[in-house]
Amino acid sequence: MDDADATDALEVLGNELRMRILRELAAADEPLAFSTLRERADIRDTGKFNYHLSRLCDYYVREGARGYELGHAGTRVIAAADPGRASDGGSIDAEPGTDETCPVCGDDDCERLFHVHLTPPWA
């Protein structure tokens, strides 16, 4: 991830509607369809919702055959923003046995909540 990507990834989180979408996905027991997620996030304007969801899909949300769900980075964001928040009251760690690598370092079992590699200005 280069500096521009890292900056954009963090900028995406600076919107309350996007954080609301991430929180709704974290609270869900299964992937959510577009319309279900929009209703749960309480965003009436479909175009506005689509725009914000598509920004999240660049870094934090995955779209699968069954709907939208948190990706690895999205799970880490929610764990950092809302410690202990999960639909079952437990932690929001990725499900055991999922084959998902950290998008920043590439480790399969990355335990870091956040880590962004930026080039220092003096380099």
Side-chain angles (χ1 to χ4, degrees):
M1 180 179 282
D2 66 19
D3 293 356
D5 285 342
T7 301
D8 188 53
L10 293 173
E11 182 182 330
V12 167
L13 298 175
N15 182 285
E16 182 53 40
L17 292 178
R18 293 181 200 141
M19 291 303 297
R20 190 182 323 159
I21 293 168
L22 290 178
R23 287 182 178 107
E24 289 302 325
L25 287 171
D29 293 331
E30 60 189 9
L32 297 175
F34 180 92
S35 58
T36 303
L37 179 55
R38 184 177 60 80
E39 288 172 10
R40 288 188 184 184
D42 194 29
I43 302 172
R44 291 188 175 97
D45 184 327
T46 302
K48 178 188 263 186
F49 176 75
N50 185 53
Y51 169 76
H52 290 293
L53 181 59
S54 66
R55 292 296 315 270
L56 289 169
C57 285
D58 290 340
Y59 303 100
Y60 304 105
V61 174
R62 307 187 281 240
E63 180 182 10
R66 296 178 30 215
Y68 294 91
E69 61 187 343
L70 288 179
H72 180 80
T75 300
R76 300 296 188 189
V77 165
I78 292 300
D82 299 328
R85 180 184 170 114
S87 57
D88 63 356
S91 68
I92 306 180
D93 292 332
E95 293 179 24
T98 57
D99 184 25
E100 190 169 1
T101 59
C102 174
V104 177
C105 68
D107 288 348
D108 288 331
D109 295 317
C110 177
E111 295 296 325
R112 294 180 182 105
L113 291 178
F114 284 107
H115 61 138
V116 178
H117 301 277
L118 299 175
T119 306
W122 57 86

